[in-house]
Amino acid sequence: GAVVSQHPSWVICKSGTSVKIECRSLDFQATTMFWYRQFPKQSLMLMATSNEGSKATYEQGVEKDKFLINHASLTLSTLTVTSAHPEDSSFYICSASLLAGALGYFGPGTRLLVL
Amino acid sequence: AQKITQTQPGMFVQEKEAVTLDCTYDTSDQSYGLFWYKQPSSGEMIFLIYQGSYDEQNATEGRYSLNFQKARKSANLVISASQLGDSAMYFCAMREVGTGGFKTIFGAGTRLFVKA
């Protein structure tokens, strides 16, 4: 299957700092990437959908100014958690699709801990 | 309203036996897709099986099969001949059309424990 990477795999940061997470599709061009957040022992919650070259579509309740998403190329999407707080600590996982509606391939996830 | 319902928070199964993980869904779309993913403790999401709403045959992938009952809106996962390595979280998911295009939403998950 297709390969999607995420970097970093884990990050610890101080409250108030910003953290950037990268999601890359390594062997295909992803027109659509999805960002999910997963709290411990909970399901994956869709945060936003990003299409290459256009603004991301955020799910209800997700602050677009806090979670900045950029999908500048067909192989890279970034999620920036701005002014991170302890409640932002979570597992962030991306999914990339070749075509709209096609199977999404997940990255390995990024564990964020905000102190 | 919850669109994907997994009513079993946890399930136990004896090694080498079969187990069924339940999933019901709610959608008004005629065209949709149903998925099952496995998430081990490492956190990675492993795709297991897919069923399209227009597929007449139940999907099968090795030891995994999907019992698709469209009228009842259920898409149960059957794992045959359970192995110790099957112990993990299992998520049922549905692909639907949202405001931003297609998106996949997940159920709450079922944790499967395989006993030796």
Side-chain angles (χ1 to χ4, degrees):
Chain A
V3 180
V4 175
S5 71
Q6 278 185 244
H7 178 80
S9 56
W10 60 270
V11 58
I12 302 173
C13 69
K14 292 182 178 180
S15 184
T17 60
S18 293
V19 175
K20 180 184 284 188
I21 302 170
E22 294 185 348
C23 176
R24 291 181 185 273
S25 55
L26 299 183
D27 53 358
F28 69 102
Q29 294 185 320
T31 57
T32 306
M33 287 187 173
F34 303 89
W35 286 97
Y36 293 86
R37 180 169 54 184
Q38 185 180 29
F39 292 109
K41 301 188 187 302
Q42 294 188 23
S43 185
L44 279 72
M45 299 300 297
L46 180 64
M47 298 175 68
T49 303
S50 75
N51 295 295
E52 186 267 337
S54 61
K55 290 184 178 181
T57 301
Y58 289 80
E59 295 298 304
Q60 193 172 10
V62 178
E63 300 175 58
K64 61 180 68 176
D65 294 331
K66 180 166 182 61
F67 299 99
L68 301 178
I69 291 173
N70 184 279
H71 193 161
S73 77
L74 286 171
T75 59
L76 173 64
S77 176
T78 59
L79 166 68
T80 302
V81 183
T82 62
S83 186
H85 290 286
E87 57 265 30
D88 298 324
S89 299
S90 187
F91 186 59
Y92 292 87
I93 189 165
C94 72
S95 172
S97 296
L98 173 61
L99 298 170
L103 175 67
Y105 296 94
F106 281 88
T110 297
R111 296 192 185 277
L112 170 64
L113 176 61
V114 184
L115 302 177
Chain B
Q2 196 165 8
K3 292 201 166 189
I4 301 286
T5 303
Q6 294 181 253
T7 58
Q8 305 154 314
M11 287 283 287
F12 286 87
V13 64
Q14 194 68 42
E15 191 180 13
K16 299 181 184 177
E17 293 186 350
V19 63
T20 298
L21 307 184
D22 295 340
C23 174
T24 57
Y25 60 92
D26 181 30
T27 182
S28 57
D29 292 349
Q30 295 300 309
S31 177
Y32 50 90
L34 298 159
F35 303 81
W36 277 92
Y37 286 89
K38 173 184 178 181
Q39 187 180 43
S41 57
S42 62
E44 63 182 312
M45 294 293 286
I46 302 170
F47 166 73
L48 297 178
I49 198 165
Y50 167 79
Q51 179 87 39
S53 58
Y54 292 118
D55 294 340
E56 295 184 354
Q57 300 274 357
N58 284 344
T60 61
E61 290 285 349
R63 294 187 297 111
Y64 305 107
S65 60
L66 198 151
N67 184 359
F68 181 46
Q69 297 188 40
K70 193 170 182 177
R72 297 178 59 184
K73 293 188 175 179
S74 74
N76 299 340
L77 176 70
V78 180
I79 305 175
S80 62
S82 297
Q83 302 171 356
L84 295 177
D86 294 336
S87 295
M89 278 293 287
Y90 288 81
F91 292 100
C92 179
M94 177 173 67
R95 183 183 62 208
E96 61 175 9
V97 179
T99 53
F102 287 92
K103 62 181 180 180
T104 301
I105 56 174
F106 287 79
T110 296
R111 183 166 291 281
L112 178 65
F113 300 91
V114 180
K115 301 182 289 184

